[in-house]
């Protein structure tokens, strides 16, 4: 039930901190990741895997893309993300050392179910990340990590996304443990960061309370662009998808480095661009590069809304609005940065008088191919 909330979507966004906390519950014991549900996918099997293919659709695929950065970085195994409906039509290379990881909130998405079946028949090891107990995809997988986001009723996926990322990060840290690719100190640091996410998400919800006003003055806009880089890139894609499906506005997410390879031609005065800014503390030096992207688009008249770490003074002179997010290690920031975009899509759709729980032409689970 909706309780006192105006929509299921608003309620489910408010549950994002709990979705992460409940997905972590019981899975970190004495400072170590514990996933007994992996069953036949024993530490020996997982230590021997030489490639991971993540298959999913829509928002679940963006969670997968984010997970691919974490798993590759921590467990040093190549990870490829494929849309389920593309996967089996490309004659993919699958061996007994390939781990296919499917991600689905409903567990009933036909494209993903077919891809899981194909992977199993082709001899891959198959693990699923799913939010719905007893659904079809888990039944056809060797092992399942359930996300405990609770029932998601609104068509647009929100709390399931952060729970899927949490499950992928747990998997990444487990793989790093069995493969010996992170030091005990690095493992401990990342586990601490993951456990700190629910409280930080609660802070983000508070800091996002003014997004309704922002959405108000944008209700007539016809196009919104989203830029992100590295782990901010899947966040940009997710922000754009949410806006399309809820507010029926043309929206596109780009990797910020791609801007000068084409998309910058779209920038004209008044174009609204959300930019997911990496932490200024990020040792990879991506922060100055993204700040310079902001300067480039500002110089061409874009209205920039930056999602940036609290206290990031470098973006202030160039952004029309800054939505601050709490400090976190770079790999964990996207889980925080995505929430303002979920809220923005909700608020913009609301400002346009649209039904946020039941957008036109969409179904909660797509059970046809
Ligand atoms: C976006 C959205 C869809 C689903 C996609 C996969 O907000 O809801 O893109 O994420 O249809 O659905 P599941 O996760 O049920 O397989």
């Amino acid at each position: 039930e909706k309780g006192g909330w105006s929509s299921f979507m608003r309620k489910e966004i408010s549950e994002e901190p709990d979705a992460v906390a409940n997905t972590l519950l019981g899975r970190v014991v004495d400072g170590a990741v514990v996933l007994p549900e992996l069953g036949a996918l024993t530490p020996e099997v997982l230590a021997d895997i030489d490639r991971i293919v993540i298959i999913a659709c829509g928002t679940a695929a963006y969670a997968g893309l984010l997970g691919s950065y974490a798993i590759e970085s921590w467990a040093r195994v190549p990870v490829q993300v494929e849309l389920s409906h593309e996967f089996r039509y490309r004659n993919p290379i699958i061996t007994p050392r390939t781990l296919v990881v499917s991600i689905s909130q409903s567990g009933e998405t036909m494209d993903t179910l077919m891809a899981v079946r194909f992977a199993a028949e082709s001899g891959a090891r198959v693990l699923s990340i799913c939010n719905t107990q007893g659904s079809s995809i888990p039944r056809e997988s060797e092992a399942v990590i359930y996300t405990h986001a609770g029932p998601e009723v609104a068509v647009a996926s929100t709390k399931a996304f952060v729970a899927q990322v949490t499950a992928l990060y747990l998997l990444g840290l487990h793989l790093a443990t069995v493969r010996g690719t992170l030091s005990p100190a690095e493992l401990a640091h990342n586990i601490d960061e993951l456990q700190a996410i629910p409280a930080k998400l609660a802070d983000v919800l508070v800091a996002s309370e003014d997004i309704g006003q922002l959405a108000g003055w944008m209700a007539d806009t016809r196009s919104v662009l989203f830029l992100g880089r590295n782990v901010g890139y899947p966040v940009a894609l997710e922000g754009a998808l949410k806006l399309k499906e809820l507010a029926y506005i043309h929206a596109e997410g780009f990797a910020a480095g791609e801007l000068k390879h084409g998309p910058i031609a779209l920038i004209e005065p008044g174009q609204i661009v959300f930019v997911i800014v990496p932490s200024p503390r990020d040792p990879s030096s991506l922060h100055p590069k993204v700040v310079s992207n902001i300067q480039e688009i500002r110089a061409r008249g874009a209205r920039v809304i930056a999602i940036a770490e609290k206290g990031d003074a470098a973006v202030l002179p160039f952004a029309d609005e800054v939505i601050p997010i709490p400090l976190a290690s770079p790999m964990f920031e996207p889980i925080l940065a995505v929430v303002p975009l979920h809220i923005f899509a909700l608020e913009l759709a609301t400002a346009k008088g649209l039904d946020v729980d039941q957008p036109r032409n969409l179904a909660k689970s797509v059970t046809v191919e």
Side-chain angles (χ1 to χ4, degrees):
E1 246 320 291
K2 263 193 289 199
W5 298 94
S6 53
S7 64
F8 279 105
M9 188 180 173
R10 199 176 285 280
K11 172 174 182 278
E12 288 161 8
I13 290 171
S14 80
E15 291 167 348
E16 293 198 53
D18 288 344
V20 172
N22 290 334
T23 300
L24 288 174
L25 207 66
R27 287 172 169 157
V28 177
V29 179
D30 295 333
V33 173
V34 179
L35 294 169
E37 56 268 72
L38 291 178
L41 300 175
T42 59
E44 295 70 38
V45 169
L46 294 176
D48 194 45
I49 288 298
D50 66 2
R51 195 165 63 97
I52 295 177
V53 183
I54 295 178
I55 50 173
C57 302
T59 283
Y62 299 148
L65 188 55
L66 190 44
S68 75
Y69 288 85
I71 296 171
E72 280 195 348
S73 166
W74 295 336
R76 308 310 294 157
V77 57
V79 186
Q80 169 192 351
V81 183
E82 279 290 331
L83 296 168
S84 311
H85 36 88
E86 287 291 320
F87 171 64
R88 68 201 164 105
Y89 298 101
R90 60 179 289 154
N91 192 10
I93 297 163
I94 295 173
T95 75
R97 295 176 71 194
T98 307
L99 176 67
V100 168
V101 179
S102 92
I103 309 171
S104 175
Q105 187 287 127
S106 63
E108 300 296 347
T109 298
M110 186 57 79
D111 288 316
T112 304
L113 177 62
M114 289 303 164
V116 160
R117 204 171 278 170
F118 175 85
E121 284 166 0
S122 308
R125 309 303 301 247
V126 181
L127 167 66
S128 289
I129 291 174
C130 185
N131 197 46
T132 311
Q133 297 273 343
S135 55
S136 302
I137 292 170
R139 280 206 298 273
E140 301 208 17
S141 309
E142 268 183 273
V144 192
I145 301 176
Y146 279 105
T147 46
H148 297 300
E152 194 177 62
V153 177
V155 163
S157 192
T158 53
K159 62 177 181 172
F161 175 86
V162 290
Q164 287 160 349
V165 175
T166 303
L168 286 159
Y169 280 26
L170 283 168
L171 175 64
L173 293 171
H174 177 67
L175 288 168
T177 307
V178 304
R179 300 168 74 92
T181 46
L182 288 182
S183 70
E186 288 166 326
L187 267 173
H189 168 75
N190 286 310
I191 290 172
D192 285 350
E193 286 283 322
L194 196 50
Q195 290 191 297
I197 290 294
K200 292 180 188 178
L201 279 174
D203 291 346
V204 174
L205 289 174
V206 173
S208 300
E209 273 164 8
D210 295 338
I211 292 179
Q213 284 162 17
L214 195 65
W217 63 257
M218 289 184 193
D220 295 329
T221 194
R222 298 177 60 89
S223 160
V224 178
L225 304 180
F226 294 80
L227 293 182
R229 189 153 182 169
N230 189 254
V231 289
Y233 173 46
V235 176
L237 296 174
E238 166 67 359
L241 176 62
K242 283 293 163 312
L243 207 54
K244 287 175 216 176
E245 65 177 332
L246 291 161
Y248 316 152
I249 286 175
H250 171 257
E252 251 188 285
F254 297 109
E258 195 65 5
L259 199 60
K260 58 185 164 303
H261 300 286
I264 198 162
L266 288 170
I267 306 295
E268 52 185 37
Q271 171 69 52
I272 295 164
V273 186
F274 278 75
V275 183
I276 296 97
V277 183
S279 166
R281 298 169 300 120
D282 186 339
S284 68
S285 82
L286 286 178
H287 178 266
K289 292 185 173 146
V290 172
V291 172
S292 109
N293 290 144
I294 295 179
Q295 289 172 274
E296 283 156 13
I297 58 176
R298 252 308 268 273
R300 289 163 178 83
R303 305 182 75 159
V304 174
I305 296 143
I307 299 178
E309 187 175 281
K310 204 179 283 175
D312 180 349
V315 297
L316 291 177
F318 310 114
D320 296 85
E321 298 278 343
V322 178
I323 301 170
I325 57 164
L327 273 63
S329 273
M331 200 64 88
F332 296 86
E333 285 183 332
I335 314 178
L336 307 173
V338 78
V339 174
L341 300 185
H342 287 166
I343 297 174
F344 177 70
L346 167 86
E347 296 289 3
L348 193 50
T350 304
K352 292 180 75 171
L354 301 171
D355 180 346
V356 292
D357 287 338
Q358 278 294 344
R360 70 185 178 200
N361 308 342
L362 291 169
K364 181 63 183 161
S365 62
V366 184
T367 53
V368 290
E369 266 192 86

